């Protein structure tokens, strides 16, 4: 497999070809404005010193301040962060947000760090990026293995360095610190909203469909919860310990209770156990990859039996796999739309922080639904018109065009 950033550049090239974008502009759209890598040093609980590699990639801010999450992961790489920052750019553009794209991360295994070590690591990272972030510069948010607590620590460090309150400098914060109650569920909810729209277009009734969800983190869990609420039968789940399957359906509540008690899905009883790879190729209507990138490749794309792929994760499908899936008539709801609920929710939170307004949960969820439904509709209309390009390429045409137009208007060629 090529690197995620190579994949991200191929996606831009293919949209740029269709849009007739000039060579110099294309070159600018294929590299981050700034890529910062640095050591984050902390003291461990045993008094020893430790250093971790940290990154922040600011990809493009033609539409507004850079925006994107921070991941803590042992397999993090500079290339992945670059790709993720590009995807954030297209995600914000596609959904019409006045925001650019960024991503950050630390190479670390958070499961091996204590709560106080994580606090020191988050604060040390925040200190390192203080100069380049801010409510009108770059606004980080949670991502893989980070959460509202991480944001609280980072905000505290940031504000103590700049000596000013700046709640709009981070999103996905705890409600007590200016976060919004709706934000935590937004990404998973968005997966379900976009799936609902896809089902409508394919004339499938939720009650007659089944779903498999790969990944049981923040995205996968809420996708499962709201799929069930919509009447979709969830028949398969997985986490890093393994996969569980039952064609009759497995209740989300039971899976969650088991995960909370045992910490892993692999020990659940009364279900069929299998590898994560074989879960992806089981018979179902909706396959929702909700973990990491590079899961659906040309190796398994021929084997996938779903009618719809709902990309809760960022970059789960490779470009080669996309081509196979398109030929096979499988509709892929691309990550930049499917999981955009998170950043749309972040945008709401950031706007509220900047204006001092506070929305009810009802208003928040209604607006989330409306932004995603309208974005889906816009892409689908163009998709039906264009015929020979897949749903992701169509989304990229819209997303890349908006950024390229903004670049041109600014005289950035
Ligand atoms: N980490 C989420 C994403 O990949 C949310 C980013 C944000 O809210 O800035 O879209």
């Amino acid at each position: 497999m090529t690197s995620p950033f190579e994949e991200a550049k191929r996606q831009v090239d293919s949209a740029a070809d269709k849009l007739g974008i000039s060579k110099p502009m294309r070159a600018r759209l294929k590299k981050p404005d700034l890529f910062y890598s640095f050591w984050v040093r902390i003291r461990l609980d045993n008094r020893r010193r430790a250093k971790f590699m940290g990154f922040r990639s600011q990809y493009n801010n033609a539409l507004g301040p850079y925006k994107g999450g921070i991941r803590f992961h042992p397999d993090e790489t500079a290339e992945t962060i670059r790709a993720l920052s590009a995807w954030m750019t297209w995600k914000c553009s596609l959904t019409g947000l006045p925001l650019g794209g960024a991503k950050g991360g630390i190479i670390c295994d958070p499961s091996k760090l204590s709560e106080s070590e994580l606090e020191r690591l988050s604060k040390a990272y925040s200190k390192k990026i203080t100069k380049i972030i801010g409510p009108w510069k770059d606004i980080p948010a949670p991502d893989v293995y980070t959460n509202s607590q991480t944001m609280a620590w980072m905000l505290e460090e940031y504000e103590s360095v700049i000596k000013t309150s700046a709640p709009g400098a981070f999103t996905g914060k705890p409600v007590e610190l200016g976060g919004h109650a709706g934000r935590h569920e937004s990404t998973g909810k968005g997966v379900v909203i976009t799936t609902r729209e896809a089902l409508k277009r394919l004339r499938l009734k939720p009650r007659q469909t089944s779903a498999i969800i790969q990944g049981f983190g923040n995205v996968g869990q809420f996708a499962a919860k709201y799929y069930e609420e919509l009447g979709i039968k969830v028949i398969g789940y997985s986490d890093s310990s393994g996969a569980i399957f039952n064609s009759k359906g497995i209740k989300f509540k039971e899976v969650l209770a088991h995960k909370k008690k045992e910490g892993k899905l692999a020990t659940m009883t009364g279900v069929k156990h299998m590898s994560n790879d074989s879960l992806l190729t089981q018979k179902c209507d909706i396959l929702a990859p909700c973990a990491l990138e590079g899961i659906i490749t040309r190796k398994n794309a021929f084997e996938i039996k779903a009618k719809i792929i709902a990309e809760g994760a960022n970059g789960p499908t490779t470009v080669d796999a996309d081509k196979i899936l398109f030929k096979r008539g499988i509709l892929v709801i691309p990550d930049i739309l499917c999981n955009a609920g998170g950043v749309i929710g972040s945008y709401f939170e950031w706007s509220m922080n900047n204006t001092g307004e506070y929305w009810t949960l009802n208003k928040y969820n209604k607006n989330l639904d409306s932004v995603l439904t309208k974005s889906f509709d816009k892409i689908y209309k163009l998709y039906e018109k264009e015929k020979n390009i897949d749903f992701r390429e169509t989304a990229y045409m819209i997303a890349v065009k908006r950024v390229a137009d903004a670049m041109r208007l600014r005289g950035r060629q």
Side-chain angles (χ1 to χ4, degrees), residues 185-200 206 209 211 213 218-232 234 286 288 290 308 310-312 333 337-342 368-369 372-373 376:
E185 301 191 353
S186 291
T187 314
K189 258 207 176 117
V191 171
V192 179
I193 294 166
T194 53
T195 305
R196 180 195 70 203
E197 293 306 302
L199 288 173
K200 270 190 217 159
T209 58
I213 300 178
N218 174 265
V219 184
Q221 288 185 19
F222 289 110
K225 180 177 170 193
Y226 290 107
Y227 271 154
E228 246 182 41
E229 227 180 78
L230 202 64
I232 296 168
V234 184
I286 304 152
C290 294
I308 295 169
E311 295 188 331
I333 312 170
L337 174 70
C338 193
N339 70 37
L368 178 70
D369 198 311
L372 281 168
T373 306
F376 190 104

Side-chain angles (χ1 to χ4, degrees), residues 93-96 201 337 371-384 391 394-395 398-399 402:
S93 173
L94 179 68
T95 50
R201 302 310 190 286
L337 174 70
V371 174
L372 281 168
T373 306
K374 281 186 191 140
S375 304
F376 190 104
D377 199 48
K378 191 170 173 187
I379 310 167
Y380 205 82
K381 282 200 175 110
L382 185 63
Y383 173 66
E384 284 187 312
F391 204 51
T394 318
I398 297 170
R402 188 168 167 238

